Amino acid sequence: IMKPTLYVMAAGMGSRYGGLKQMDGLGPNGETIIDYSIYDAIRAGFGKVVFVIRRDFAQDFKDIVISKFESKIPVEIVYQDITALPEGFTPNPERVKPWGTNHAILMGKDVVKEPFAVINGDDFYGYESFQVLADQLVSMTGKKGEYCMVGFPVKNTLSESGTVSRGVCQTNSAGNLESIEEHTKIESINGSIVNHNDDGTEKVIAPDTPVSMNMWGFTPDYFEYSYEFFKEFLKDNEKSLKAEFYIPTMVDYLINNGTATVKVLNTTSKWFGVTYADDKPNVLLQLNALIEKGIYPNKLWE
């Protein structure tokens, strides 16, 4: 059986709170959130890790992050570069912003040949999420157009420090994704979860509604579809300073034209991350609670 690959959108990839923060020590011995993700991925049966990072801090990333676990699992690095575009396209010379999450995925097309998971480097997903995703990816070996994503109950993804932006998922009776709609101001108020709509109204969201936290499962054919669709995207946006090519945009396109189905996998894991600086103490508390329960050792990489 071919082991799946873990593809990590890591430091500096337009992460929500700035690249180098992903190297912040949050565990009792300086472990980063990435350390916990790799530890969980190894336990769940992933066979290789590919990081997509910015070239300008590759050395720091290797020294601070990768050096801790490169003896435990094969690791490769690819680089997201603004100039890495299909032949015939050139970016606006003034552009500094990366081309978005699905462009980051495209950087891996020459090194990933097996079913693969995609995650954010600055998000804590929990062991069970990696396990359900790994099992599904193994079952996808050799297939095309049958993808998956882990859907977290929205109640397990909130911040106590402010509103959050989440991709709220609609599924059909078969448990497949029908649509993802970005809700940008979700919070818990008086026991209800609400989104503050742009027009000033509020929309109540059921606590168990699945949301996307960028934890996806694809087969290698996804690269070919993405490459072709990216060329269409660039015809309109080549000279833009800010337009980004996002994973949900690509997935939505493939679902709507009948090329792919996306199975939504359930998890009881609680997501957490540092959306706001004030979230950090809470992340430390949650990690310590998991260590006390014996889910993680005190020293991750002994």
Side-chain angles (χ1 to χ4, degrees):
I1 294 174
M2 193 179 272
K3 286 186 169 185
T5 287
L6 181 67
Y7 194 80
V8 185
M9 294 186 289
M13 307 322 308
S15 88
R16 281 190 303 279
Y17 60 103
L20 289 162
K21 289 266 177 55
Q22 295 187 29
M23 301 191 210
D24 270 6
L26 296 165
N29 295 282
E31 293 90 351
T32 64
I33 284 181
I34 286 175
D35 284 311
Y36 287 97
S37 290
I38 304 306
Y39 185 84
D40 284 338
I42 292 170
R43 289 198 285 180
F46 284 83
K48 178 173 82 175
V49 182
V50 178
F51 287 103
V52 55
I53 62 173
R54 271 203 339 246
R55 198 179 292 273
D56 59 354
F57 59 72
Q59 199 54 54
D60 281 346
F61 194 77
K62 287 174 187 171
D63 294 345
I64 296 167
V65 181
I66 293 176
S67 61
K68 287 185 275 191
F69 48 73
E70 60 188 344
S71 63
K72 315 275 187 196
I73 188 168
V75 177
E76 292 195 52
I77 295 179
V78 294
Y79 300 105
Q80 187 178 20
D81 192 297
I82 290 164
T83 60
L85 301 181
E87 202 173 333
F89 294 98
T90 47
N92 187 321
E94 291 173 23
R95 185 176 177 115
V96 291
K97 197 176 180 63
W99 285 102
T101 48
N102 213 67
H103 179 254
I105 289 182
L106 270 173
M107 300 303 98
K109 71 181 189 320
D110 295 331
V111 299
V112 179
K113 306 296 180 194
E114 51 285 307
F116 63 103
V118 176
I119 65 167
N120 291 338
D122 51 8
D123 289 356
F124 182 95
Y125 294 102
Y127 169 66
E128 194 213 11
S129 307
F130 285 95
Q131 190 63 67
V132 297
L133 189 49
D135 292 346
Q136 185 67 24
L137 286 168
V138 168
S139 77
M140 286 158 51
T141 304
K143 295 180 179 174
K144 285 188 173 185
E146 290 182 29
Y147 308 143
C148 63
M149 60 158 272
V150 177
F152 287 77
V154 65
K155 66 182 180 188
N156 285 350
T157 72
L158 302 175
S159 166
E160 290 173 13
S161 309
T163 62
V164 294
S165 182
R166 299 286 178 256
V168 175
C169 301
Q170 297 292 328
T171 57
N172 62 19
S173 55
N176 290 335
L177 186 65
E178 283 191 331
S179 67
I180 294 186
E181 191 182 341
E182 201 64 33
H183 290 57
T184 55
K185 291 180 182 159
I186 300 175
E187 65 179 333
S188 179
I189 301 178
N190 302 328
S192 290
I193 298 172
V194 298
N195 183 66
H196 303 281
N197 300 326
D198 291 341
D199 62 6
T201 60
E202 288 184 351
K203 178 184 174 183
V204 176
I205 303 172
D208 288 321
T209 304
V211 296
S212 166
M213 301 305 298
N214 256 359
M215 193 177 205
W216 299 92
F218 299 114
T219 44
D221 54 304
Y222 186 76
F223 292 118
E224 299 154 39
Y225 303 134
S226 293
Y227 189 74
E228 291 309 313
F229 190 55
F230 189 41
K231 288 194 280 194
E232 295 302 312
F233 172 88
L234 287 170
K235 284 175 188 174
D236 299 325
N237 298 291
E238 177 182 18
K239 296 305 177 194
S240 167
L241 293 176
K242 291 190 173 168
E244 292 187 61
F245 182 41
Y246 294 116
I247 298 167
T249 310
M250 186 67 219
V251 168
D252 213 40
Y253 172 75
L254 294 174
I255 290 173
N256 286 328
N257 71 12
T259 303
T261 57
V262 179
K263 186 177 176 67
V264 178
L265 309 173
N266 297 318
T267 180
T268 57
S269 290
K270 192 169 182 339
W271 173 95
F272 51 87
V274 186
T275 307
Y276 299 95
D278 290 351
D279 290 333
K280 193 170 173 180
N282 192 37
V283 169
L284 297 173
L285 282 174
Q286 295 197 61
L287 280 175
N288 280 324
L290 292 169
I291 291 163
E292 280 171 22
K293 284 183 189 165
I295 295 169
Y296 299 100
N298 193 49
K299 277 194 170 171
L300 215 49
W301 301 118
E302 277 198 318

